[in-house]
Amino acid sequence: MPEPDAASARASSADASTARRRGRLFLALAVIAGGLVGLGGFTFRYAEGLSYFSTDPKACANCHIMQRQYDGWQKASHHIAATCIDCHLPHTFFAKYLAKASNGWHHSKGFTLQDFEEPIRIKPRNSAILQDNCLRCHEPMVHELVAGARTDRDAVECVHCHASVGHGDRAGLGGPPREDERP
């Protein structure tokens, strides 16, 4: 039977070895976490991330691909009455920031991986937000004309006829209609 001092020394050595492994693992995780936080902070700063929490339309033109839409909006009829968020985001607090977060994620992923569609096109969920906002602002004037325009699957969207009010001429949004667009 080993002497108590030898057993104690082996246990102490094993404890020290385990402590060193834990220390190395902690250090490696801290370096990885620090790198991710640093990279995220740099990216957020470089991409002017705080500007996206504002209501300034210039924030929408931070990425070069939106410059045509921003320039078109400045010349369009709604320039004096509506900004980007008035048309493109819900108006309740939670829904607005949820849409901003979702769009921000998809935009930053698309621009980082360069897998976005050109010309840039509105997605169905954002198209529904746009339609709701058109109807919200113009409902007193058009409520009889657009009954069901929020719920009918084949309802004509406001921008079908009024494509130029937000961003100007269609050329700023990618040229002539594509085959998959409704006539």
Side-chain angles (χ1 to χ4, degrees):
M1 174 163 225
E3 293 193 23
D5 289 336
S8 175
R10 277 195 305 271
S12 177
S13 176
D15 289 343
S17 178
T18 300
R20 279 193 300 273
R21 276 194 300 262
R22 285 186 184 151
R24 287 182 189 141
L25 178 62
F26 178 77
L27 180 61
L29 290 175
V31 167
I32 290 169
L36 290 174
V37 168
L39 181 62
F42 171 80
T43 303
F44 190 77
R45 173 74 177 117
Y46 179 77
E48 300 179 44
L50 284 178
S51 68
Y52 293 100
F53 290 101
S54 76
T55 59
D56 185 355
K58 289 179 187 173
C60 299
N62 279 352
C63 48
H64 62 91
I65 197 162
M66 293 300 293
Q67 191 61 49
R68 279 186 176 170
Q69 287 77 10
Y70 178 72
D71 292 343
W73 167 77
Q74 289 185 310
K75 297 172 188 147
S77 62
H78 275 54
H79 175 116
I80 59 170
T83 63
C84 303
I85 67 166
D86 292 324
C87 297
H88 291 283
L89 289 176
H91 287 259
T92 61
F93 181 84
F94 182 74
K96 175 170 81 173
Y97 285 100
L98 183 63
K100 274 188 172 230
S102 174
N103 289 336
W105 165 255
H106 291 293
H107 294 164
S108 53
K109 180 191 88 55
F111 297 130
T112 300
L113 300 177
Q114 293 294 298
D115 65 353
F116 56 88
E117 187 177 346
E118 278 194 85
I120 192 167
R121 296 176 46 87
I122 194 167
K123 303 291 185 235
R125 186 175 53 81
N126 288 324
S127 184
I129 292 169
L130 181 67
Q131 178 72 0
D132 284 346
N133 285 332
C134 289
L135 296 177
R136 182 182 52 78
C137 284
H138 298 285
E139 196 159 24
M141 184 172 34
V142 299
H143 71 281
E144 294 293 326
L145 297 171
V146 294
R150 294 178 192 222
T151 57
D152 292 352
R153 186 177 179 278
D154 61 345
V156 175
E157 294 177 342
C158 298
V159 294
H160 178 75
C161 297
H162 303 281
S164 66
V165 298
H167 297 284
D169 291 335
R170 187 169 182 82
L173 293 172
R178 297 182 343 181
E179 289 179 23
D180 64 338
E181 292 180 317
R182 289 190 252 179

